[in-house]
Amino acid sequence: DAKTTQPNSMESNEEEPVHLPCNHSTISGTDYIHWYRQLPSQGPEYVIHGLTSNVNNRMASLAIAEDRKSSTLILHRATLRDAAVYYCILRPQNQGGKLIFGQGTELSVKP
Amino acid sequence: GAVVSQHPSWVICKSGTSVKIECRSLDFQATTMFWYRQFPKQSLMLMATSNEGSKATYEQGVEKDKFLINHASLTLSTLTVTSAHPEDSSFYICSARDSPYSYNEQFFGPGTRLTVL
């Protein structure tokens, strides 16, 4: 499985934008880039996903590098409720949809 | 969004007993369900993939005779931890997909915390 690399932790101030980076230099052409987040003692929650183009939804934006070897999850205005572990995951098209989680980035948000 | 529930939310059992955890998709039919476990301060580890009406596919290193998975209907999958021991204490989480052809999101349950004494 292609591997992702994320910083262990990041800090942000409330109401400021947050850019969470992810490196995936061994990504293959058919791998989708997915982001999930997990609040303490809860199951993960879907955030966003993309293949080649940048994506926006109500939760976040996903910026994908032109060579697809890295991506950045952007939270436009962090709130205290955004404090969570954020996982960047590569999902191959031909493996039945399974997700292999890496270590993720623990985001803390300061008021 | 689609909702996945798990029951129980927490369970404490004695060493040597078996524990069953249920995972239900409440408002959609789940063609595929996944089971994960998570130790404190660690990431999720995929244990197995379960397709309705067929045998589960286990990840390498996961004992299929110890972690029995049944996906008898499109809305229910169960994980039974047989002869549980303290090292099986963990947070067990299921997820579900609504289509084998969907590359969109998986829906996760809230998790079940198992403590084996």
Side-chain angles (χ1 to χ4, degrees):
Chain A
D1 297 313
K3 189 176 158 68
T4 62
T5 305
Q6 299 177 251
N8 288 334
S9 62
M10 288 183 67
E11 253 187 19
S12 168
N13 293 318
E14 197 176 12
E15 298 193 4
E16 290 186 357
V18 182
H19 291 233
L20 296 162
C22 180
N23 286 322
H24 30 78
S25 57
T26 59
I27 191 170
S28 77
T30 55
D31 288 346
Y32 282 78
I33 302 162
H34 285 248
W35 284 81
Y36 283 77
R37 71 181 186 182
Q38 185 180 25
L39 279 65
S41 298
Q42 295 187 28
E45 172 188 32
Y46 168 83
V47 178
I48 201 166
H49 80 282
L51 183 62
T52 56
S53 304
N54 294 344
V55 184
N56 299 297
N57 67 19
R58 63 175 176 79
M59 285 182 74
S61 295
L62 176 60
I64 301 173
E66 199 169 328
D67 63 5
R68 298 208 331 126
K69 293 186 176 182
S70 65
S71 61
T72 302
L73 178 71
I74 303 165
L75 306 179
H76 296 286
R77 283 182 72 215
T79 69
L80 297 178
R81 289 176 297 177
D82 291 323
V85 179
Y86 286 79
Y87 296 100
C88 167
I89 303 166
L90 300 183
R91 195 173 86 173
Q93 282 195 19
N94 60 352
Q95 291 191 20
K98 67 181 185 181
L99 300 174
I100 305 298
F101 283 75
Q103 289 308 303
T105 296
E106 183 169 12
L107 175 67
S108 56
V109 180
K110 295 187 292 184
Chain B
V3 178
V4 173
S5 71
Q6 285 185 237
H7 177 80
S9 54
W10 59 270
V11 57
I12 301 172
C13 70
K14 291 182 180 178
S15 188
T17 60
S18 295
V19 174
K20 181 186 283 189
I21 301 170
E22 293 185 348
C23 175
R24 291 182 187 273
S25 56
L26 297 186
D27 49 3
F28 68 100
Q29 294 187 325
T31 55
T32 307
M33 287 183 168
F34 303 88
W35 287 95
Y36 298 82
R37 71 175 173 182
Q38 185 175 33
F39 294 109
K41 299 293 184 186
Q42 293 188 25
S43 184
L44 284 77
M45 187 197 81
L46 178 67
M47 299 175 69
T49 302
S50 152
N51 292 298
E52 185 264 338
S54 61
K55 287 185 181 178
T57 302
Y58 290 81
E59 293 297 305
Q60 194 170 9
V62 177
E63 300 174 60
K64 61 183 180 183
D65 294 330
K66 180 166 183 64
F67 298 100
L68 301 178
I69 292 172
N70 185 293
H71 191 162
S73 79
L74 283 171
T75 59
L76 174 65
S77 176
T78 60
L79 167 68
T80 301
V81 182
T82 62
S83 186
H85 288 99
E87 58 266 29
D88 299 322
S89 298
S90 189
F91 193 48
Y92 291 87
I93 307 169
C94 71
S95 71
R97 295 176 65 205
D98 58 0
S99 165
Y101 307 110
S102 169
Y103 297 110
N104 297 328
E105 61 191 287
Q106 281 186 23
F107 306 102
F108 283 81
T112 296
R113 189 162 303 281
L114 169 64
T115 303
V116 185
L117 302 176

